Amino acid sequence: MMVPLFGTAPDPKGEIQQAVEKLIGKKLNITWVPNADYNEKTNVTLASSSLPDVMVIQDNKGPSFVKSAEAGAFWDLTDKLDKYPNLKAKSEQAFINSKTNGKNYGVYRVRPLLRSAIMIRRDWLEKLNLKMPETTDDLYEIAKAFTEKDPDGNGKKDTYGLILPKWPGVNFSASSPYNVMDVWFGTPNNYGMRDGKLVPEFDVPEFWEAQKYIKRFIDEGLTNPDWATLDTAKWDDPFIQGKGGITIDVNVRAGALFDKFKELDAKTYDQKVTMAGNLSRPDGKKFSYPFTGYNGIVAVSKQKIRTEQQLDEVLKVLDKLASKEGAILVNNGIEGRNFKVENGFAVKLNDQDPAMKVIANDVEKAFIQLGMTSSVGVAGEAYEWARPSEAEKEWIKRRDELMELDLQTAVHDPSLPVIAVTQVEKGATLNPIVTDGRIKYLAGEITEEQYKAEIKRWYDSGGTQILSELQAGIAKLGLN
C-alpha cells in the first residue's frame, strides 16, 4: 500500500497501525511517502513493473495515471462499489467528479463539496456597526468602510478591505478568490453549457461584470497593494496583523485564523473572526462556488490482485476501513486512549503526553489519508474535534448551515469526468495565456480589448480543440 505522509512515518508496531490491523483482520505493509514528493513517486511507481496492491492516487486526471489506468493497470470500480455499504458513493456529484474519462478507477477520498466562504474581521464589523454581507454590493461597502473608516481605531488610514493573494494555479480555474467571484456573477465554473455549446468561464458576458467588480477593489485601493505578488503562504498575515479584513477562501480557514489569534492572545481571540457564505449578485440572483467533493482516489492495481475474488477481498478490507469504526480510528484515534466524546465532539486526552503526541501524528499526519468516507474537513461518521469557545462552536454550526444552503445554488463543472488530450499536451503553454492576461487586465497593464485578443489567442492555439474534445466526452457520458 502506498500513502502520502504529512509528518513522521508511523511505526508499524505503533498503537494506531495495530488497531487498524485488528479492525480489518489483515497485516498492512505501507510505504509512506512525504507529500511533497508524492506525485513524483507516483509517476516513478506507475512507470515501474512493481505496483502496490492499493495506492492513493492524488491526481487521477494526470497523464501518467490516465495512461496506466486505460492500459489496464487498475481495476475499473465504476459498477462494483454499490455492494459494499461503506464504499458506495455518498455523493453522486463527487462520484461523477472523481471519474477519469468516465470511469471510477478507485474509491474517492471525501472532501467538502461546498466550502467556499468569506472570512471577516468580526471586531471591525462591530466597531463600524456593519451587517454581514449578503450581496456583492454589501461586500464592496464593507471593504470600503474597512479602508476609509479606521476600523482598528488607531487614528490612521492604514487598513484595507479585501486581501487577495497571487494564485499559483496552473489552470485558469483553480479555486481562487477570483474564480469564486466570477461564479457569483453567473459565469460557468471552469466550463459550462450555453445554448448547447461548451464555453469557458472567461468568455461569457458575466465574466466582464466580475472583472469590473474585482478591478474596482484594486483601483480604489480597497485591497492589499501587493495583491498580484502576495504569496499564499503569507495570506493570513494581513488579517492577523490588522491590515486587511476580508479573505475569500475555504471555510476551514476560519478555524486556522481562530488558532493563530489564540496564539497571540488567548483572552480576545474569539472576538476576531466571523464568516459569511457565497453572495448574491446585484440583481439578487445567487450562484455559489463548489469544489469537487473529493481529493484523489484509493485505487486497486491489477498486478497481484488479478481475480474478481481477490478484488472482493481487497474491497471488503477497504469497506471495513471506511466503516464508522474505521473512520473514527483514522480521523480521531482510539476512544478512551487519546480522546473522549463529549456532546458528540471528540476531546483530546493528555495531549502533552509523548505517547499521545505519537498517536496524534499517526492519525492526523498519516492514517487520515486513508479516510474515504470521512477525512479532512468532513467528519462523516467520525467525530468533529471540539473547539473551546462559544464563537468557535457557533462558527462550526454556521459553517455546516452555509454549506447546505449554498449547495442549493452550486454551479458544478460538467467537464470534470472528462479529459481532453489537447489540454494534457498543451495545457502548460495555453493556461498562462488567460491567467496572466487576467492579472495584467486587473492591474491596468492591458485594456479589455487587449485581454480579449489574448483570449482569442487561447482559442487559436488549442482552446477550440480542447472545448471540442470536452464537449464530445461530456456528450458520450450523457452528462450534458
Side-chain angles (χ1 to χ4, degrees):
M1 191 181 266
M2 184 169 128
V3 189
L5 176 71
F6 288 79
T8 305
D11 180 345
K13 293 188 171 63
E15 289 183 69
I16 294 298
Q17 182 152 335
Q18 296 280 307
V20 170
E21 289 176 345
K22 187 179 174 189
L23 174 76
I24 63 175
K26 298 272 183 191
K27 280 281 178 200
L28 288 173
N29 179 7
I30 305 176
T31 302
W32 297 101
V33 179
N35 187 59
D37 308 324
Y38 198 79
N39 282 335
E40 189 184 334
K41 174 74 172 171
T42 298
N43 291 338
V44 170
T45 304
L46 293 175
S48 75
S49 57
S50 179
L51 291 179
D53 297 351
V54 174
M55 66 188 290
V56 172
I57 302 290
Q58 289 183 325
D59 182 8
N60 61 310
K61 319 279 187 177
S64 56
F65 178 73
V66 174
K67 191 174 163 189
S68 296
E70 294 189 337
F74 292 92
W75 282 92
D76 175 1
L77 304 179
T78 315
D79 302 320
K80 297 188 186 299
L81 299 177
D82 279 1
K83 66 178 196 178
Y84 303 93
N86 303 309
L87 301 183
K88 185 178 177 178
K90 301 279 193 291
S91 159
E92 185 61 27
Q93 189 65 52
F95 189 64
I96 290 169
N97 290 349
S98 64
K99 287 178 184 291
T100 301
N101 262 347
K103 293 181 177 176
N104 295 87
Y105 289 107
V107 183
Y108 72 78
R109 300 188 306 161
V110 70
R111 294 294 185 274
L113 187 56
L114 196 302
R115 53 180 180 157
S116 46
I118 309 162
M119 279 49 70
I120 306 174
R121 282 289 297 246
R122 179 178 166 181
D123 49 341
W124 288 12
L125 270 183
E126 290 173 356
K127 170 104 177 10
L128 300 179
N129 201 23
L130 297 167
K131 289 186 184 146
M132 293 287 277
E134 291 182 8
T135 69
T136 51
D137 285 345
D138 293 344
L139 192 70
Y140 166 78
E141 292 301 337
I142 291 169
K144 197 172 172 65
F146 280 3
T147 308
E148 296 175 354
K149 295 192 174 171
D150 191 24
D152 59 356
N154 70 352
K156 298 175 188 171
K157 193 171 183 291
D158 58 357
T159 54
Y160 45 80
L162 182 62
I163 308 164
L164 287 173
K166 176 185 167 108
W167 204 262
V170 289
N171 298 320
F172 186 83
S173 174
S175 309
S176 74
Y178 304 98
N179 299 122
V180 175
M181 289 188 274
D182 288 350
V183 167
W184 287 349
F185 277 85
T187 72
N189 173 6
N190 193 21
Y191 295 104
M193 301 301 290
R194 295 281 167 100
D195 301 320
K197 193 177 165 205
L198 194 69
V199 294
E201 178 178 330
F202 49 82
D203 195 20
V204 293
E206 297 91 337
F207 177 74
W208 297 102
E209 292 301 311
Q211 301 330 289
K212 282 166 190 157
Y213 176 75
I214 300 167
K215 200 163 171 19
R216 199 174 172 196
F217 283 83
I218 293 164
D219 292 348
E220 294 181 17
L222 310 184
T223 187
N224 44 310
D226 61 348
W227 62 274
T229 57
L230 177 65
D231 189 328
T232 48
K234 296 179 178 172
W235 194 2
D236 283 342
D237 293 358
F239 197 98
I240 301 289
Q241 292 161 2
K243 293 176 183 172
I246 304 163
T247 299
I248 301 168
D249 192 33
V250 291
N251 52 23
V252 290
R253 183 169 285 270
L257 289 166
F258 273 120
D259 292 342
K260 287 184 179 181
F261 276 118
K262 192 173 189 176
E263 284 174 22
L264 291 175
D265 185 353
K267 287 182 183 162
T268 64
Y269 83 98
D270 59 342
Q271 299 159 31
K272 309 283 190 184
V273 188
T274 189
M275 189 174 79
N278 285 260
L279 303 177
S280 304
R281 67 186 185 188
D283 67 358
K285 285 191 179 169
K286 186 175 174 185
F287 305 94
S288 300
Y289 186 90
F291 285 66
T292 61
Y294 82 103
N295 180 14
I297 60 173
V298 179
V300 183
S301 90
K302 280 186 165 178
Q303 206 164 63
K304 294 189 204 114
I305 312 303
R306 292 189 171 179
T307 66
E308 294 273 352
Q309 188 182 345
Q310 288 173 315
L311 176 64
D312 178 57
E313 283 179 31
V314 171
L315 292 178
K316 279 176 178 165
V317 167
L318 292 180
D319 190 63
K320 281 182 188 169
L321 202 53
S323 68
K324 180 171 183 174
E325 295 79 7
I328 291 167
L329 261 182
V330 302
N331 279 264
N332 306 117
I334 302 164
E335 188 174 349
R337 175 77 176 124
N338 68 299
F339 79 95
K340 63 178 178 179
V341 181
E342 267 181 18
N343 304 318
F345 287 88
V347 178
K348 292 192 174 181
L349 294 171
N350 310 318
D351 58 355
Q352 295 311 305
D353 178 333
M356 297 307 111
K357 288 185 176 179
V358 170
I359 291 176
N361 169 81
D362 290 2
V363 170
E364 296 162 21
K365 308 293 186 188
F367 275 94
I368 196 169
Q369 296 302 315
L370 284 169
M372 289 164 277
T373 51
S374 58
S375 191
V376 182
V378 181
E381 288 196 289
Y383 299 104
E384 180 106 42
W385 288 102
R387 284 187 166 263
S389 70
E390 283 308 312
E392 289 166 281
K393 286 171 186 162
E394 181 58 36
W395 160 63
I396 287 173
K397 185 166 170 275
R398 186 167 170 72
R399 179 198 69 189
D400 294 345
E401 288 168 356
L402 287 171
M403 286 199 287
E404 285 303 310
L405 176 70
D406 289 355
L407 265 176
Q408 295 167 27
T409 51
V411 180
H412 297 288
D413 176 0
S415 75
L416 281 172
V418 182
I419 290 157
V421 176
T422 306
Q423 174 67 32
V424 173
E425 291 172 351
K426 295 187 176 179
T429 320
L430 285 174
N431 297 332
I433 295 175
V434 276
T435 50
D436 294 352
R438 186 208 296 255
I439 299 303
K440 285 175 183 167
Y441 169 71
L442 292 175
E445 292 171 16
I446 59 172
T447 63
E448 186 176 315
E449 289 313 306
Q450 286 172 311
Y451 188 17
K452 283 180 175 171
E454 285 296 279
I455 290 170
K456 183 179 184 303
R457 184 160 74 87
W458 178 84
Y459 275 107
D460 294 344
S461 306
T464 302
Q465 184 63 24
I466 288 172
L467 287 164
S468 168
E469 290 169 13
L470 288 174
Q471 184 150 4
I474 291 167
K476 190 177 169 188
L477 295 174
L479 294 171
N480 54 343

